[in-house]
Amino acid sequence: MTDEHTYHYHVIRRAIAEIDTADAPLTLEALAARMQMSPAHFQRIFTAWVGVSPKRYQQYLALDHARHLLRDRFTTLATADAVGLSGGGRLHDLFLTWEAMAPGDYARGAAGLTIRHGWFDSPFGPALVMGTDRGICGLGFAAETGTDATMADLTGRWPAAQFVEDRAALAPVVAKAFGEAPGAAKLHLIGAPFQIKVWEALLQVPTGHVTTYSEIATAVGHPRAMRAVGTAVGRNPISWLIPCHRALRKSGALGGYHWGLPVKRALLAREAAQSGA
């Protein structure tokens, strides 16, 4: 990761925090002043990062945006086929392919499995990516939690695995995941059976759309298990590619996010802006 990109991400994160706490929309000049930049320079950085102007971006970060998404971009998982989705490797519009670890192997803490890891630049700050020979098994963001806590979080999920730092081995698939061909990324889901069912349901939510925890519970055959579903969503080890950020409360509230709500807001806002939601 470059120092310049890290700086730019934190500028955007600070701008989001300013927007969240403002009583009314902020002008370009006001935002730029708070970032200690000229309006033109701030506009260039902001537009390069998200693809739209700060004014437009504020609309996607407004407090009622989650309710807007639920009203206009809600995905009923039971009818996912109606929007062109199907099973197997075409679970959502990124067309990710995935394979799950056998339950017994997961129960043994992934003993005998080698997991490579490395830190990478991402549109959402420092990203820790982990992968096996079968695909990406972990992706976490450290902008809010810090690098040490993010590393401890992901490695602690599979305590018997062997972890090897190998950024070079992961770089090609990471470039595809964050670039123009995320569908080329293969995933290796390492979790308990119920968790994997929840993550599979998340993969059915298209970019720019959202769903609710209760929808997911119904989709996995446990309509009253919303608390368990919420826990499984929070334990999703492959952020961004398994889109747990697209799960909202039925009330329209954002709910929680394992890597910090500012990151969740940024993920939703970027997707909404780029998809025209």
Side-chain angles (χ1 to χ4, degrees), residues 67-225:
R67 294 181 179 86
H68 163 81
L69 286 173
L70 279 175
R71 184 185 69 238
D72 299 335
R73 309 284 286 182
F74 174 69
T75 293
T76 301
L77 297 178
T79 59
D81 286 339
V83 293
L85 305 176
S86 59
R90 298 175 65 86
L91 285 170
H92 70 116
D93 59 337
L94 295 184
F95 298 157
L96 290 163
T97 60
W98 62 273
E99 180 179 352
M101 169 175 278
D105 293 332
Y106 170 72
R108 289 189 287 274
L113 189 69
T114 297
I115 298 178
R116 299 175 179 85
H117 64 85
W119 287 98
F120 293 87
D121 192 3
S122 90
F124 313 104
L128 175 62
V129 182
M130 296 184 171
T132 70
D133 292 337
R134 299 180 184 179
I136 293 175
C137 66
L139 198 166
F141 298 111
E144 299 296 318
T145 57
T147 55
D148 291 344
T150 302
M151 175 67 77
D153 186 312
L154 286 179
T155 55
R157 298 174 187 233
W158 312 295
Q162 179 182 4
F163 292 92
V164 178
E165 185 174 4
D166 192 349
R167 189 179 186 280
L170 294 167
V173 70
V174 170
K176 293 174 182 176
F178 285 121
E180 296 300 321
K186 294 183 178 180
L187 307 183
H188 188 189
L189 275 56
I190 305 176
F194 181 78
Q195 291 175 326
I196 290 172
K197 289 178 67 176
V198 170
W199 303 339
E200 180 182 354
L202 287 169
L203 285 168
Q204 298 183 49
V205 184
T207 300
H209 290 69
V210 295
T211 193
T212 61
Y213 296 102
S214 59
E215 259 304 299
I216 296 170
T218 299
V220 301
H222 297 276
R224 297 186 178 182

